[in-house]
Amino acid sequence: MRVVSLVPSLTEAVAVTLPGVLAGATDWCTHPADLDVTRIGGTKNPKLDRILALAPDLVIANEEENRAPDLDALRAAGLDVLVTEVRSVPRAFTELERVLTACGAPGRPRWLAEAEAAWTALPPPEGRTTAVVPIWRRPWMVLGRDTFAGDVLARLGVDHLYAGHPDRYPRVPLDELRAAAPDVVVLPDEPYRFTADDGPEAFPGLPCALVSGRHLTWYGPSLAEAPGVLAEALRATRR
């Protein structure tokens, strides 16, 4: 089996579970750290000629991260393309199992069982916190409706204020974000790399939680430690 992955979190899941199966991955596929495969461009602009040259048995993709025209072109060239849709934590586990089975996994890997157990055992939040969750600036964009990251936060007691917006990743003026007066501003380090020096200064007077984008937005082995890592980052704003 030869697999090309167009999704960083799926790349990590396959590489950890089935060493040697991945033939290619995007430039954004940073985990595992020792991943040594052919790089095939970005998630939004993959180099189709490189993918075709690898002659994979399967290409794994995601309806949100990858563009339909690219996936259609791969199918037209005769490749088998599996497209995931992940907008909640439970769906992540279902889709991960589907992908790993399609890639030849003989059974459910231990890390996947441990990750699901970590989320199943999560105690009910002691209270609810409101938040805005920017994912980009210039222009400012935030989490909107029906997102995986939004579901992750909700399970940790964080209700983001644009969950009812018609768009999944709406553009919202900075003045409006400030005026929303959330309890906390959650700033992940991807897709935009917010840091202590780039992001919090835009929200004077509001607590800001700098969080790991991998733990907030990836669905793979990082899911096992995500509840603890994210909860600690959120608690840090209340100290």
Side-chain angles (χ1 to χ4, degrees):
M1 171 69 77
R2 287 170 60 80
V3 176
V4 167
S5 173
L6 301 180
V7 186
S9 52
L10 296 180
T11 295
E12 183 178 15
V14 174
V16 168
T17 307
L18 298 162
V21 164
L22 278 174
T26 75
D27 299 341
W28 298 104
C29 294
T30 57
H31 288 73
D34 60 352
L35 184 67
D36 183 17
V37 296
T38 299
R39 299 295 176 163
I40 49 83
T43 56
K44 304 296 186 189
N45 56 344
K47 299 184 183 302
L48 303 185
D49 56 338
R50 290 188 189 175
I51 297 174
L52 295 174
L54 290 170
D57 300 295
L58 181 67
V59 177
I60 50 179
N62 175 262
E63 51 89 28
E64 179 175 75
E65 295 197 49
N66 309 119
R67 301 185 315 128
D70 293 324
L71 305 182
D72 290 342
L74 293 172
R75 292 191 185 96
L79 296 185
D80 187 9
V81 180
L82 185 159
V83 182
T84 58
E85 181 180 307
V86 178
R87 301 188 183 185
S88 69
V89 173
R91 185 61 181 269
F93 297 124
T94 301
E95 291 287 70
L96 283 165
E97 193 158 8
R98 182 167 74 102
V99 167
L100 294 174
T101 298
C103 291
R108 206 166 198 242
R110 181 176 177 178
W111 67 260
L112 184 54
E114 290 175 347
E116 187 163 18
W119 283 95
T120 301
L122 196 66
E126 295 180 0
R128 308 299 301 182
T129 299
T130 61
V132 295
V133 190
I135 58 165
W136 204 259
R137 66 183 301 176
R138 294 185 293 273
W140 286 93
M141 299 174 67
V142 299
L143 290 186
R145 65 169 180 85
D146 196 21
T147 66
F148 172 73
D151 188 54
V152 165
L153 290 171
R155 292 169 188 274
L156 295 172
V158 178
D159 301 314
H160 69 93
L161 295 178
Y162 291 89
H165 196 282
D167 297 330
R168 296 185 66 216
Y169 301 100
R171 297 185 180 188
V172 182
L174 180 57
D175 288 347
E176 183 179 326
L177 296 180
R178 292 169 175 161
D183 296 322
V184 64
V185 179
V186 178
L187 297 170
D189 60 11
E190 63 175 89
Y192 185 91
R193 187 172 180 78
F194 288 106
T195 67
D197 300 319
D198 186 357
E201 82 290 341
F203 300 94
L206 292 175
C208 291
L210 294 166
V211 304
S212 161
R214 177 168 168 261
H215 291 99
L216 178 62
T217 65
W218 287 34
Y219 40 94
S222 59
L223 276 171
E225 59 186 20
V229 171
L230 294 171
E232 176 58 27
L234 293 166
R235 277 196 298 269
T237 66
R238 299 193 291 270
R239 290 174 182 166

